[in-house]
Amino acid sequence: MKIEIWSDVMCPFCYIGKNNFEQALEKLPFKDEVEVEWKSFQLDPMLDPKEVKSTFEYFKEKKGFPEAQAQQMIGQVSQMGKGAGIDFNFEKALITNTFSAHKLLHLAKKYNKASEMEEALFIAHFIDGKNVGDFETLISLADSLGIDTNEAKNTLTSEEFDYDVNQDILEGRNNGVTGVPFFILNGKYAVSGAQPVELFANALQQTYDETVSPLKNLSNGENSCDTDGCSI
């Protein structure tokens, strides 16, 4: 069963959604049959890659929120994060363009380490207060996952994976993705937002029952032929 997840590194609900989704999946007996594919999405692609803002500066300048309103929103998100096992550090979080981070995610996908890279990027941004648009920071994250630093540097300084990132964004748009996190469950159902663990568990179970179990029940190998012959 395939789960596609559109996400952006600087989206706190994406981090909460990831944790809740993974907790739900861990409880299910078919967890080892699930393939997770992370897809790129940019909440603010117009941000200058060379510019870095604090969370409060960003809310004030880009969203027009007064500081009191921004503080209230951040406080609410922080409480949600604690429920998902995340201690957000918004005081240190740096807002910047995430395109390069998404390129690194696609490099990690090449080595089946996309989920690990997604987690590393979230920690770097939301916990450690690192600039996830900075090449040295990103190369260090690649190195921590055992990805060759020269390959990581080449990925970031070339157009390699640019097409892949843009294709994810286009695919998301074609699937009606206007906000993240956005989960497509085996091409049948969609779940939007950082939903509770129980909702993810129920959605995953329903999708599995409707799209995987019937195939298993019908495919018993009887009255069929294969390269080894026929069975009755």
Side-chain angles (χ1 to χ4, degrees):
M1 187 167 84
K2 186 173 184 178
I3 311 298
E4 297 164 289
I5 309 173
W6 276 264
S7 171
D8 193 14
V9 177
M10 68 177 188
C11 166
F13 294 111
C14 291
Y15 196 7
I16 295 170
K18 177 181 183 293
N19 275 23
N20 287 350
F21 167 79
E22 289 175 343
Q23 287 181 48
L25 183 60
E26 193 62 30
K27 297 179 179 180
L28 299 172
F30 53 85
K31 63 181 181 180
D32 293 334
E33 300 177 51
V34 175
E35 174 193 353
V36 176
E37 181 177 4
W38 289 94
K39 300 279 192 175
S40 297
F41 185 95
Q42 283 199 283
L43 291 170
D44 195 345
M46 302 309 294
L47 280 171
D48 184 346
K50 298 179 181 179
E51 190 174 8
V52 177
K53 297 179 182 293
S54 72
T55 301
F56 296 103
E57 286 175 332
Y58 181 77
F59 273 128
K60 183 178 180 180
E61 295 177 18
K62 298 289 291 188
K63 304 297 183 181
F65 294 161
E67 185 171 344
Q69 184 180 357
Q71 289 279 9
Q72 182 182 11
M73 290 180 59
I74 287 172
Q76 291 172 344
V77 176
S78 294
Q79 283 301 116
M80 286 185 63
K82 289 183 185 301
I86 303 167
D87 286 320
F88 284 113
N89 192 351
F90 287 107
E91 295 289 339
K92 292 175 63 178
L94 301 174
I95 305 298
T96 190
N97 191 295
T98 58
F99 193 84
S100 293
H102 285 293
K103 290 174 66 171
L104 192 69
L105 178 66
H106 276 274
L107 173 62
K109 187 184 295 188
K110 176 180 172 182
Y111 296 104
N112 296 316
K113 293 183 177 182
S115 290
E116 292 88 342
M117 181 60 75
E118 192 78 14
E119 181 71 17
L121 287 166
F122 280 138
I123 290 173
H125 177 65
F126 285 114
I127 311 299
D128 296 337
K130 294 181 179 178
N131 178 1
V132 293
D134 175 69
F135 284 6
E136 290 304 316
T137 297
L138 295 174
I139 291 169
S140 176
L141 293 180
D143 185 46
S144 71
L145 295 181
I147 297 172
D148 183 74
T149 55
N150 288 326
E151 186 174 9
K153 183 178 181 179
N154 181 66
T155 292
L156 296 169
T157 56
S158 70
E159 295 183 357
E160 185 181 11
F161 298 117
D162 283 25
Y163 173 83
D164 302 82
V165 175
N166 288 319
Q167 190 64 24
D168 277 357
I169 294 170
L170 177 61
E171 184 183 352
R173 189 179 303 129
N174 291 338
N175 279 313
V177 180
T178 57
V180 286
F182 193 91
F183 303 74
I184 293 184
L185 314 182
N186 221 25
K188 184 176 178 68
Y189 292 116
V191 175
S192 178
Q195 299 300 330
V197 174
E198 194 61 32
L199 188 147
F200 276 122
N202 290 338
L204 288 166
Q205 185 67 62
Q206 181 178 348
T207 304
Y208 185 84
D209 290 343
E210 294 182 11
T211 65
V212 180
S213 292
L215 298 177
K216 286 187 172 183
N217 292 337
L218 292 173
S219 301
N220 56 18
E222 294 180 358
N223 301 320
S224 63
C225 297
D226 58 24
T227 56
D228 294 323
C230 298
S231 60
I232 298 176

